[in-house]
Amino acid sequence: MAEEATFDAEDHPHTRFNPLKGQWVLVSPHRLKRPWKGQIEATLPEAVPRWDANNPLCPRVTRPSGKENDDYENTYVFTNDFPALFPDGPSPGPPKHPLLQSGEAQGTCRVMCFHPYSDLQLVSMTQDDIIKVIERWMEQTAELGEKFKWVSIFENKGVANSNNHPHCQIWATSFLPNDPLQMDTNQRQYYAEKGRPMLVDYVQLEMKEKERIVVENEHWLYVVPFWATWPYETMLLPKRHILRLTDLTEDEIKSLASIMKRMLVKYDNLFECSFLYTMGWLGAPTGPGYKDVDYSHWQLFATYNPPLVRSATVKKLLGGFEHFAQLQRDLTAETAAKKLRDLPDAHYTEKLKQ
Ligand code: H2U
């Protein structure tokens, strides 16, 4: 009888469970050995002008909607001219059939510029300017959270035709969207069973195992989560139990600005390009009277989903199995974390200046 091989996560296909979403990912590390015949995309865009009269996110510009941007000096927030949601509106009413259900969807969408200069990104902004961004995130969460159940702060950096001006979007909804709803249920169940928040336990585990940590400081750490689906996906977590962005202390804000910059330098250094990613903050739900609701099962975190896989131009595309069965990755989370961790702390463009 043939002897059975001992399992090695770097060699053998296996699945990993994402306890937040309650979903499995297929990990196939042996596939990294296959020859690559994938898509090679066009070269990177040219340098961006600092100010452009045709860029609707620049200070003093009149947007196609006819609204003029303030002559802003750090961050700037305005209501999206093409919002996916409106604060008021009629309800679709009760369903005619259980298979044809509709729900009420109210909300608001905002655009938040990080800085007046289009040629900067968070990675190239000063620590003080990043602190202003974090404080604005906190202010927006506090304001919108009074009215809306979910406040989603997300940044599409360089992906899907996004504007190159440093900015993020803020969508607030009257309902808990699918992912947070699933995460609420799963974290609640874990808390009920163990008496501790899932992600607080997870941080402790990662600090003990260390192999998936990319960068850490006194208050925060970035890990490639055990269950990551994107090749270089990372999760940013506080070391303390924090429900929402609004609960950060001054020291935590400062060290958040510092660790974000450190991580973003590593991301840019990975393929020596301005890295692409979609980043989003998730924390305990909000909505009218939320401060009286016990959301102890939640933990604040951010996730970065970068599409790049092998170089500045090769993106991960969802394959058939992923569309119709389950998400899949080649690189293990541990290998991705090591690769990112071992990258220099100085931005690759520093080399070019020498
Ligand atoms: P990205 O984060 O994907 O780059 O999107 C920028 C947002 O800015 C997008 O949602 C909004 C778009 O609707 N926008 C305006 O509100 N006004 C404009 O004049 C241009 C873009």
Side-chain angles (χ1 to χ4, degrees), residues 246-319:
T246 45
D247 302 332
L248 301 183
T249 64
E250 242 175 75
D251 283 348
E252 285 162 351
I253 297 169
K254 274 193 211 144
S255 72
L256 174 58
S258 149
I259 201 166
M260 277 171 60
K261 201 172 155 89
R262 270 174 71 197
M263 182 66 219
L264 294 175
V265 166
K266 295 224 179 247
Y267 265 156
D268 277 9
N269 284 346
L270 182 61
F271 298 126
E272 302 210 328
C273 68
S274 178
F275 205 57
L276 319 182
Y277 60 79
T278 295
M279 176 266 199
W281 279 105
L282 290 99
T286 48
Y290 73 87
K291 287 180 186 136
D292 301 326
V293 183
D294 185 7
Y295 281 114
S296 310
H297 52 289
W298 267 89
Q299 168 71 322
L300 172 74
F301 68 95
T303 292
Y304 291 69
N305 290 348
L308 295 183
V309 55
R310 276 165 194 257
S311 72
T313 52
V314 180
K315 287 184 193 161
K316 174 181 165 79
L317 300 171
L318 292 191

Side-chain angles (χ1 to χ4, degrees), residues 62-103:
T62 301
R63 306 197 300 271
S65 62
K67 298 197 173 94
E68 193 188 338
N69 291 336
D70 288 355
D71 188 9
Y72 62 94
E73 287 176 2
N74 38 73
T75 60
Y76 179 57
V77 175
F78 63 89
T79 300
N80 199 310
D81 298 311
F82 313 99
L85 298 139
F86 297 109
D88 306 295
S91 159
K96 287 192 219 92
H97 188 280
L99 292 179
L100 302 174
Q101 294 194 55
S102 286

Side-chain angles (χ1 to χ4, degrees), residues 34-278:
R34 78 194 191 281
W36 177 252
K37 285 201 226 115
Q39 172 191 1
I40 303 288
E41 288 175 19
T43 47
L44 293 169
E46 297 288 298
V48 175
R50 181 155 286 189
W51 187 86
D52 177 358
N54 294 316
N55 188 332
L57 302 193
C58 286
R60 306 182 301 281
V61 164
T62 301
R63 306 197 300 271
S65 62
K67 298 197 173 94
E68 193 188 338
N69 291 336
D70 288 355
D71 188 9
Y72 62 94
E73 287 176 2
N74 38 73
T75 60
Y76 179 57
V77 175
F78 63 89
T79 300
N80 199 310
D81 298 311
F82 313 99
L85 298 139
F86 297 109
D88 306 295
S91 159
K96 287 192 219 92
H97 188 280
L99 292 179
L100 302 174
Q101 294 194 55
S102 286
E104 212 174 76
Q106 287 165 351
T108 191
C109 299
R110 294 178 177 174
V111 178
M112 175 176 148
C113 301
F114 293 156
H115 196 281
Y117 294 173
S118 294
D119 57 344
L120 290 183
Q121 291 295 340
L122 282 173
V123 71
S124 44
M125 282 166 54
T126 64
Q127 165 111 351
D128 284 351
D129 281 339
I130 301 175
I131 288 174
K132 290 195 182 93
V133 169
I134 299 167
E135 287 171 344
R136 202 75 197 259
W137 285 340
M138 293 167 70
E139 174 221 274
Q140 290 291 306
T141 307
E143 184 206 318
L144 292 166
E146 289 295 325
K147 181 162 180 199
F148 297 105
K149 275 203 187 116
W150 188 251
V151 181
S152 179
I153 296 178
F154 61 92
E155 181 190 0
N156 299 322
K157 182 176 170 280
V159 289
N161 303 323
S162 68
N163 190 306
N164 48 34
H165 191 93
H167 73 285
C168 70
Q169 296 194 44
I170 306 169
W171 291 23
T173 56
S174 58
F175 56 93
L176 213 49
N178 282 337
D179 281 7
L181 184 63
Q182 200 62 60
M183 291 177 188
D184 185 59
T185 307
N186 293 332
Q187 289 180 101
R188 191 187 296 277
Q189 192 183 332
Y190 185 97
Y191 192 79
E193 282 167 17
K194 315 257 187 218
R196 296 180 309 272
M198 175 196 283
L199 292 180
V200 170
D201 272 4
Y202 182 60
V203 165
Q204 294 302 320
L205 194 59
E206 290 294 14
M207 284 169 64
K208 208 166 100 197
E209 297 215 338
K210 292 195 165 48
E211 60 177 343
R212 281 173 297 274
I213 297 181
V214 179
V215 282
E216 71 174 305
N217 65 15
E218 188 186 347
H219 304 105
W220 301 89
L221 80 170
Y222 273 90
V223 296
V224 176
F226 179 77
W227 52 81
T229 55
W230 293 93
Y232 293 98
E233 177 178 333
T234 55
M235 199 173 178
L236 165 61
L237 288 142
K239 291 186 176 174
R240 174 174 82 87
H241 184 204
I242 299 175
L243 297 189
R244 302 176 183 87
L245 273 173
T246 45
D247 302 332
L248 301 183
T249 64
E250 242 175 75
D251 283 348
E252 285 162 351
I253 297 169
K254 274 193 211 144
S255 72
L256 174 58
S258 149
I259 201 166
M260 277 171 60
K261 201 172 155 89
R262 270 174 71 197
M263 182 66 219
L264 294 175
V265 166
K266 295 224 179 247
Y267 265 156
D268 277 9
N269 284 346
L270 182 61
F271 298 126
E272 302 210 328
C273 68
S274 178
F275 205 57
L276 319 182
Y277 60 79
T278 295

